[in-house]
Amino acid sequence: MNKSELIEALAEETKIPLRDASMIANTILDAMSDALAANDSIEIRGFGSFVVKQYDSYFGRNPKTGEKIKVRPKKLPFFKVGKELKELVNK
Amino acid sequence: MKRSNLTRKDLAKAINEKMGFSQRGSGDLVDAVFDTLKKALLAEEAVKLVQFGTFNVRKKAPRKGRNPRTGAAMEISKRSMISFRPSKIVREKINQS
């Protein structure tokens, strides 16, 4: 499923025009990525949560050449599946 | 650094302010979005949102494990898990600040 399929399914489910469904999906996704960019966490009951983790710099290797390279410190969002969804997906 | 937490309520507020749906209606719309995502994932369909990231359903094979307390060998049944990979856009945005 991609974003346009999500929007179509949402419009059908809620019986709202496609244009509105599209704006809703974009508003939510933008708010979520803005939150992560600001280092905030996200918590959606029944779905899961996102936390930005900070990674220190480390020495890695180029897997192709075996060359040693320094990886800069970075931040990455980490998703933790909510309990409800975790259980449902295993049924 | 103070860290705040974005919740369903904040998303509903954003929709209410931007689109003029009632608070309650906005909350229902937020739920509808996540319900739609969940439905796709439960049908074992990956969800690719270019602007945010990709959710995948990964199947894990059964494997042998041990009860860490008693040391007894046991079979860990096959299971599925949902993984998330943030999009390049989000990864770059986070590391800019």
Side-chain angles (χ1 to χ4, degrees):
Chain A
M1 174 183 261
N2 58 27
K3 191 165 87 179
S4 47
E5 288 164 340
L6 167 69
I7 290 166
E8 277 167 35
L10 180 65
E12 204 166 302
E13 182 91 9
T14 55
K15 299 185 175 60
I16 55 170
L18 218 53
R19 268 192 55 211
D20 288 351
S22 161
M23 201 163 162
I24 289 163
N26 282 314
T27 303
I28 289 179
L29 293 174
D30 287 345
M32 287 171 71
S33 57
D34 286 349
L36 294 177
N39 255 317
D40 290 344
S41 54
I42 304 173
E43 204 177 322
I44 307 294
R45 288 266 163 83
F47 187 73
S49 57
F50 299 84
V51 185
V52 178
K53 287 193 176 172
Q54 169 93 47
Y55 294 85
D56 279 339
S57 73
Y58 59 92
F59 286 98
R61 271 179 198 281
N62 180 331
K64 211 172 263 173
T65 62
E67 187 191 350
K68 231 179 173 183
I69 39 170
K70 190 172 182 186
V71 180
R72 289 163 170 274
K74 63 185 168 190
K75 289 185 251 176
L76 278 178
F78 179 80
F79 175 63
K80 190 175 171 203
V81 190
K83 198 176 169 214
E84 187 192 320
L85 183 55
K86 195 173 171 182
E87 281 167 6
L88 281 173
V89 86
N90 270 310
K91 264 192 197 156
Chain B
M1 180 175 51
K2 187 179 168 282
R3 280 193 152 195
S4 56
N5 191 23
L6 187 88
T7 61
R8 170 190 184 274
K9 206 171 151 192
D10 302 304
L11 295 174
K13 203 172 156 222
I15 288 175
N16 161 260
E17 279 167 8
K18 199 163 173 187
M19 304 184 62
F21 288 107
S22 69
Q23 294 265 12
R24 204 167 147 203
S26 300
D28 290 344
L29 289 167
V30 174
D31 291 340
V33 171
F34 287 101
D35 285 347
T36 310
L37 290 176
K38 269 198 263 184
K39 241 186 241 170
L41 293 171
L42 290 176
E44 293 183 358
E45 195 186 337
V47 180
K48 280 188 190 159
L49 304 165
V50 178
Q51 126 209 48
F52 189 66
T54 304
F55 295 93
N56 269 311
V57 184
R58 276 174 37 205
K59 294 208 163 175
K60 303 191 96 178
R63 64 190 164 93
K64 291 219 160 51
R66 275 179 192 281
N67 179 330
R69 191 167 289 169
T70 64
M74 53 185 278
E75 178 94 339
I76 298 171
S77 58
K78 73 169 177 150
R79 58 193 63 208
S80 303
M81 54 174 287
I82 294 170
S83 68
F84 172 70
R85 182 172 156 77
S87 71
K88 201 174 173 204
I89 300 172
V90 165
R91 291 201 312 268
E92 280 171 359
K93 214 165 148 186
I94 292 177
N95 285 294
Q96 253 169 30
S97 44

